[in-house]
Amino acid sequence: MTGELPSSIIAGISFIGRGGGQVKALGGFKKGHHTVPDAANAVTNAFLGKICGPELAEQAEKLFQDVRSRLGYKRKDVALNVTGALAVLTAKDFTVEIFYALEESAPGRYGITTTLRDLQDGDLAQREEFAAVFAGKFTEISFALKKGARVEAIIDVIEALEGEGGLAVSYPSDCRECVIRVEGVDAVVRCSGGTLEMVFSRAGAPHELMAGFAAMRGAFAVNRVLAGLL
């Protein structure tokens, strides 16, 4: 996958999916014995790590079995480790992390972040078996930039284009990040300087997100500075 991207610019790529639910609905939460957290901190997240065990173990085991059977991996090709609120599946061609954490703005809820990283073979992502394992799991692609990019410079370039290529940009007053939209592309790009994150409205498998990325990349080609980002 990363072989299709300029290695001089991109340090790494990850696919991210998000989910969650009510803390009190977790299998390990005992009504009348446990209390729903009213803050997200180290102590309450440690509590979450204890009570999310049944759900996390089930999710991780299902992923392990899907990866092993659909991709034909043998025992030495894939391993699973579950500790507290984190499960890490390490396969010969990629790594997947599933992480539970309380939502800071609503600590009575938890979020689940699934991250696919270190994908070694771009062709693997195009296989039907791989797509079946990760169907509907991801809504974001995150690109780590080797040199970073000045958010202000990106904003200035897009504003100077005055809508050329269907590009539009929004940003807060301190320009700590900007959000780029392209007409006809069902996703936005969030740039914080060190990373570019492409966020889609619908979840999909990695190859589906990469198709959307290709459309966004084509729009960036209208300007040398933007093209240099990806």
Side-chain angles (χ1 to χ4, degrees), residues 18 46 52 80 94 101 103 120 122 131 136 147 151 162 188 198 221 225:
R18 303 186 189 277
C52 73
L80 177 65
F94 56 87
E103 295 186 3
Q120 302 298 319
K147 296 182 179 180
V151 175
E162 297 185 341
V188 299
M198 192 168 182
V225 174

Side-chain angles (χ1 to χ4, degrees), residues 24-206:
K24 63 183 180 182
L26 288 168
F29 186 88
K30 306 301 181 184
K31 295 180 180 178
H33 178 67
H34 290 145
T35 302
V36 175
D38 59 5
N41 52 47
V43 173
T44 54
N45 272 302
F47 166 69
L48 176 67
K50 294 178 181 178
I51 66 171
C52 73
E55 284 81 3
L56 178 57
E58 182 179 354
Q59 282 179 279
E61 184 64 25
K62 182 181 184 305
L63 177 62
F64 175 86
Q65 296 299 339
D66 280 351
V67 166
R68 187 186 62 79
S69 60
R70 291 183 184 273
L71 301 182
Y73 285 172
K74 300 184 184 303
R75 181 197 59 79
K76 63 182 180 180
D77 297 327
V78 58
L80 177 65
N81 182 53
V82 181
T83 305
L86 175 66
V88 180
L89 182 143
T90 305
K92 65 176 183 177
D93 298 308
F94 56 87
T95 299
V96 180
E97 296 178 352
I98 305 173
F99 182 61
Y100 279 59
L102 294 173
E103 295 186 3
E104 292 191 5
S105 61
R109 294 184 56 85
Y110 63 90
I112 308 171
T113 303
T114 302
T115 304
L116 167 65
R117 57 178 174 82
D118 301 334
L119 185 57
Q120 302 298 319
D121 183 359
D123 292 336
L124 177 63
Q126 303 301 322
R127 288 175 51 186
E128 291 184 6
E129 299 89 345
F130 191 85
V133 172
F134 295 109
K137 277 191 167 54
F138 304 111
T139 55
E140 302 174 29
I141 309 176
S142 179
F143 301 95
L145 304 178
K146 284 188 174 180
K147 296 182 179 180
R150 289 185 60 247
V151 175
E152 294 90 340
I154 296 171
I155 293 170
D156 292 346
V157 166
I158 295 176
E159 289 185 333
L161 290 171
E162 297 185 341
E164 181 182 350
L167 287 160
V169 63
S170 59
Y171 48 90
S173 59
D174 61 5
C175 297
R176 64 183 180 275
E177 66 176 18
C178 65
V179 176
I180 305 167
R181 291 176 171 81
V182 176
E183 185 177 352
V185 178
D186 190 23
V188 299
V189 172
R190 185 168 56 237
C191 178
S192 61
T195 61
L196 284 177
E197 298 171 345
M198 192 168 182
V199 184
F200 296 78
S201 60
R202 296 175 58 184

